[in-house]
Amino acid sequence: MNELAWGTNNDLNDNQFYNRFEDIEFISNLLKSSRYGTSPSILLTGFRGVGKSALMKKIQKNFRDENYLIVYIDLSASNAYQTDEFSRESIIELIYDQIINECREVGITTVDNKIEKYIKTHDVALKEIVNINGYPVPFLWTKRNYKKLANFVMELPQYLYDEYDENINGIFLFFDEFQIIKELGDDLTDFLWYMRSFIQKQNNVSYVFSGSMSVKDSLIEEIAGSNGAFGGRILTIEIKPFSYETTKNYLNDNAEYLKFTKDGFDQFYNCTKGIPFYINIFGNLLPRNVNLDSDSVKENFIKFLPVLAMHFSNSWFRLSLQEQKILTTLLDESLNRSGIAKKLRVTSGAIGRSLNRLQDNGLIEMENNNYCIPNFVFKAWLKNEYETKGVYPYKSI
Ligand SMILES: Nc1ncnc2c1ncn2[C@@H]1O[C@H](COP(=O)(O)OP(=O)(O)OP(=O)(O)O)[C@@H](O)[C@H]1O
Ligand SMILES: [Mg+2]
């Protein structure tokens, strides 16, 4: 039976994954062209929760069945990120691990021997080669030879393609949660250009980048803007929310127990804006087999705001008081920097760092030279906190 996935699960099964036929076909066709030596790089953008990760995983599954090697690299899975030691080395290490994992997954078990040979001929001095389950695995690289090693890992995908041309139709590297790369700080631009220098030489390997970046994220400019590392060489594809009709059909097919009146459904669409993340969470929380009119949808939306806005409330409670205050000035209007400073009765210079941090977290965005809060659920949650408690949930001083 079809069902609504829970909002935090992006590894959807066929009964849960809905629609996206056109996106899948478009992206798949582009990727397939890597077989003929024109490997495209793709940047997937779109509102948070719109389904970028779910789509990448779906495409990965489809391609696995067609003998492609798809390496899915989730930067947030890096141990170094979890322990706050994120660096260029840790990214390279993660890429390497994921390539090897995927080779095993698709049954290319001779890869380790080949890599061993490659390492010898390329003089990559690894610390040691350990034996895991009978396979020699290069392990524990040292900082001293990081540079050589990084080059080796970056060249590995095309090398594998050339070596396994007969077994695999193409190699794709999917980077998800790529926004984490911002943690490289001053090293970011340099690292992006470094990646580009390899990627542009690889004729049969395609790269897809995505993550929790809104369409206006500064990282997108760094990657795909005219002066960005991949500017002019990367195709940006925006994944759109479900349309009104798609949302309606989706719920009819996957959640027939939701009994909306016409107005009730309009209100539901208005509350979720067609974003699958909100559709699924809200759809799972709404009472079943009862009449849902506009008022009851609204009532339930308010009731469940703390759950719907959970990601954002978690971020909110980690902000400084000044960052929180900036956000509340932007609840009803967009303002430029001096407008915000004026409202907070501080100088423009005093809020620069907070603005940058909020922008990096995706909590605020620039629109027509003004800052605004892009996420409507976050806004609704904050406003509701104020309405019900009489104060914003500021950090206590
Ligand atoms: N095609 C789909 N069909 C049904 N549900 C979907 C689909 N795509 C996404 N979802 C639902 O939306 C949720 C969010 O999707 P996903 O994590 O892929 O979004 P995202 O765009 O990667 O978000 P973020 O920007 O936060 O990384 C999923 O957990 C799933 O419940
Ligand atoms: Mg995602």
Side-chain angles (χ1 to χ4, degrees):
M1 201 186 80
N2 290 348
E3 54 189 305
L4 295 186
W6 185 241
T8 45
N9 172 18
N10 57 28
D11 202 357
L12 305 184
N13 66 37
D14 288 345
N15 290 334
Q16 296 169 328
F17 190 91
Y18 196 74
N19 197 265
R20 300 287 187 217
F21 302 111
E22 285 172 20
D23 292 317
I24 292 174
E25 190 175 290
F26 184 58
I27 296 168
S28 304
N29 284 340
L30 276 171
L31 290 174
K32 277 182 185 163
S33 63
S34 66
R35 183 87 186 126
Y36 312 103
T38 53
S39 53
S41 298
I42 298 171
L43 176 64
L44 286 187
T45 65
F47 205 87
R48 288 207 63 175
V50 80
K52 301 176 292 287
S53 299
L55 181 67
M56 286 165 99
K57 289 194 175 154
K58 171 81 175 165
I59 293 176
Q60 177 187 31
K61 279 190 203 139
N62 292 353
F63 270 114
R64 249 196 205 153
D65 298 340
E66 294 184 32
N67 278 341
Y68 283 83
L69 189 76
I70 300 108
V71 186
Y72 188 90
I73 301 156
D74 174 353
L75 291 192
S76 69
S78 145
N79 286 336
Y81 175 66
Q82 309 278 357
T83 55
D84 262 352
E85 289 168 19
F86 196 68
S87 62
R88 293 172 73 137
E89 285 91 332
S90 60
I91 300 172
I92 294 291
E93 212 170 316
L94 183 67
I95 297 175
Y96 176 77
D97 287 346
Q98 291 308 103
I99 292 176
I100 299 299
N101 284 344
E102 190 59 25
C103 284
R104 299 247 166 86
E105 192 75 36
V106 301
I108 301 180
T109 47
T110 53
V111 64
D112 306 297
N113 298 329
K114 296 226 169 167
I115 289 177
E116 199 183 356
K117 211 169 95 200
Y118 181 92
I119 288 168
K120 279 186 186 139
T121 52
H122 286 72
D123 188 31
V124 182
L126 289 164
K127 207 168 176 185
E128 58 178 327
I129 292 183
V130 294
N131 223 310
I132 296 178
N133 297 334
Y135 300 117
V137 183
F139 209 56
L140 293 177
W141 25 71
T142 57
K143 285 225 178 303
R144 185 177 48 78
N145 63 16
Y146 159 74
K147 231 183 157 156
K148 252 188 188 165
L149 183 96
N151 294 350
F152 155 70
V153 172
M154 291 305 296
E155 279 168 5
L156 190 55
Q158 180 69 39
Y159 167 76
L160 287 174
Y161 180 84
D162 295 338
E163 283 292 308
Y164 292 96
D165 190 20
E166 310 245 301
N167 313 60
I168 43 184
N169 287 322
I171 301 192
F172 311 141
L173 268 68
F174 286 8
F175 285 91
D176 202 359
E177 302 302 337
F178 198 64
Q179 79 284 354
I180 288 173
I181 204 150
K182 288 189 213 167
E183 310 244 333
L184 290 180
D186 293 342
D187 247 0
L188 170 66
T189 309
D190 198 52
F191 188 68
L192 288 174
W193 283 89
Y194 171 77
M195 282 184 86
R196 173 204 143 141
S197 67
F198 288 91
I199 290 174
Q200 71 175 5
K201 282 187 294 201
Q202 305 185 340
N203 291 332
N204 305 95
V205 185
S206 286
Y207 290 78
V208 181
F209 300 94
S210 187
S212 294
M213 315 175 234
S214 73
V215 183
K216 297 184 199 79
D217 199 297
S218 57
L219 181 61
I220 293 185
E221 199 52 34
E222 284 260 12
I223 299 173
S226 49
N227 294 319
F230 296 90
R233 294 160 193 274
I234 195 165
L235 198 73
T236 305
I237 300 173
E238 186 185 345
I239 305 304
K240 295 270 172 35
F242 284 177
S243 68
Y244 180 92
E245 277 309 313
T246 303
T247 307
K248 204 169 183 174
N249 295 336
Y250 173 52
L251 292 181
N252 279 341
D253 290 359
N254 290 37
E256 26 67 51
Y257 45 77
L258 295 177
K259 309 288 184 204
F260 291 111
T261 63
K262 161 90 176 67
D263 288 352
F265 179 76
D266 288 353
Q267 187 61 254
F268 179 86
Y269 191 71
N270 188 30
C271 288
T272 59
K273 307 250 185 306
I275 296 180
F277 179 76
Y278 296 120
I279 296 175
N280 283 357
I281 297 193
F282 197 26
N284 271 307
L285 291 170
L286 278 171
R288 300 181 174 197
N289 296 312
V290 296
N291 228 16
L292 294 165
D293 61 14
S294 173
D295 284 344
S296 67
V297 171
K298 218 188 238 168
E299 239 167 65
N300 277 295
F301 183 69
I302 292 172
K303 177 171 155 198
F304 292 124
L305 265 175
V307 187
L308 291 159
M310 196 130 71
H311 285 332
F312 290 99
S313 52
N314 282 341
S315 307
W316 165 272
F317 289 114
R318 284 197 297 266
L319 299 175
S320 70
L321 182 62
Q322 186 185 63
E323 288 158 355
Q324 292 178 338
K325 292 219 154 155
I326 291 175
L327 288 172
T328 54
T329 65
L330 296 173
L331 277 180
D332 292 313
E333 56 184 337
S334 309
L335 291 168
N336 63 16
R337 183 162 164 173
S338 64
I340 298 170
K342 211 160 151 194
K343 280 209 158 179
L344 298 184
R345 296 165 196 266
V346 294
T347 62
S348 245
I351 56 172
R353 251 195 79 203
S354 296
L355 286 172
N356 283 344
R357 274 203 8 140
L358 289 170
Q359 233 175 337
D360 278 349
N361 290 341
L363 294 174
I364 60 171
E365 256 176 20
M366 270 299 225
E367 197 173 63
N368 305 326
N369 292 322
N370 281 337
Y371 292 98
C372 64
I373 302 175
N375 191 282
F376 57 95
V377 173
F378 180 39
K379 264 192 192 171
W381 171 73
L382 266 179
K383 282 188 183 179
N384 189 251
E385 285 288 300
Y386 186 79
E387 269 163 35
T388 51
K389 299 183 182 142
V391 281
Y392 291 110
Y394 285 132
K395 204 174 204 117
S396 46
I397 316 160

